[in-house]
Amino acid sequence: MSEQGAGGAGEGERPFLYVVVCAAGVADGVGVLIDAARARGWEVGVTATPVAMGGFFDVAAVEARTGRPVRSAWRTPGDPRPFPPPDAVVVAPATFNTINKWAAGLADTLAVATLCEASGLGVPIAVLPCVTGALASHPAYRESLVRLRGMGVRFGDPYAGDTQGAAKDGTRPEFGWRRALDLLERR
């Protein structure tokens, strides 16, 4: 990959998982995914969309958990690569915008460029969509899912969050962070 290179953990090394975080209300729970991935033997690096960096999750807490900076912008020439090449990628939560841009090849952010490159290299990718029913019914979104599935991307069940998924008492269902790791293990 132009930013990271192709994956493949060396002998004795833990495999490296890229986690791409998008701007959705559930993003504040990304620590659950990081902890679960580390418990399953992964090292983790997080890349976030620029909007997600604006308060959707605790960047400092994620950096403390991973021991690495959260990435959102391209590095400048001469800067060291902060992550090794990915062995797999998880996109969670994956928003309508990111899924559509990725499927169209519109790599205007580091997060989407990372997904485009990982797809081209055949790196396993698991996605947990967080998209409302109204947006999920849009023809562009449905076409994007078809295109990405055709590229081998693995999708978990969609999560509508607190709009369609809220219980009568106002609580929202749990986001299935660990499901992304299960999708990666399915070969």
Side-chain angles (χ1 to χ4, degrees):
M1 296 171 67
S2 64
E3 269 291 294
Q4 290 84 16
E11 190 172 322
E13 295 177 23
R14 292 169 56 133
F16 201 86
L17 178 69
Y18 284 15
V19 173
V20 175
V21 179
C22 302
V26 296
D28 63 347
V30 71
V32 173
L33 173 60
I34 294 166
D35 292 347
R38 292 178 58 77
R40 292 189 193 189
W42 294 93
E43 288 296 324
V44 180
V46 174
T47 299
T49 64
V51 177
M53 293 291 288
F56 281 84
F57 67 101
D58 185 338
V59 174
V62 166
E63 290 177 341
R65 262 191 169 99
T66 65
R68 298 176 184 276
V70 172
R71 301 206 54 216
S72 183
W74 281 275
R75 62 186 178 84
T76 57
D79 284 348
R81 297 181 191 279
F83 299 165
D87 293 289
V89 178
V90 166
V91 190
T95 59
F96 176 85
N97 191 44
T98 295
I99 289 170
N100 286 323
K101 287 194 319 183
W102 173 21
L106 301 176
D108 64 341
T109 66
L110 178 61
V112 178
T114 297
L115 298 173
C116 290
E117 289 184 358
S119 299
L121 291 169
V123 173
I125 304 172
V127 179
L128 297 179
C130 185
V131 178
T132 66
L135 290 174
S137 69
H138 192 284
Y141 179 75
R142 291 192 311 264
E143 291 168 12
S144 293
L145 294 180
V146 169
R147 174 175 274 179
L148 293 171
R149 284 186 178 114
M151 294 165 47
V153 175
R154 303 162 189 176
F155 283 86
D157 293 333
Y159 179 86
D162 54 9
T163 54
Q164 288 84 21
K168 288 182 182 182
D169 65 0
T171 61
R172 62 182 182 196
E174 182 180 336
F175 189 71
W177 295 104
R178 291 171 191 85
R179 176 72 177 123
L181 300 172
D182 297 339
L183 290 167
L184 289 176
E185 293 172 358
R186 183 199 82 201
R187 301 235 187 231

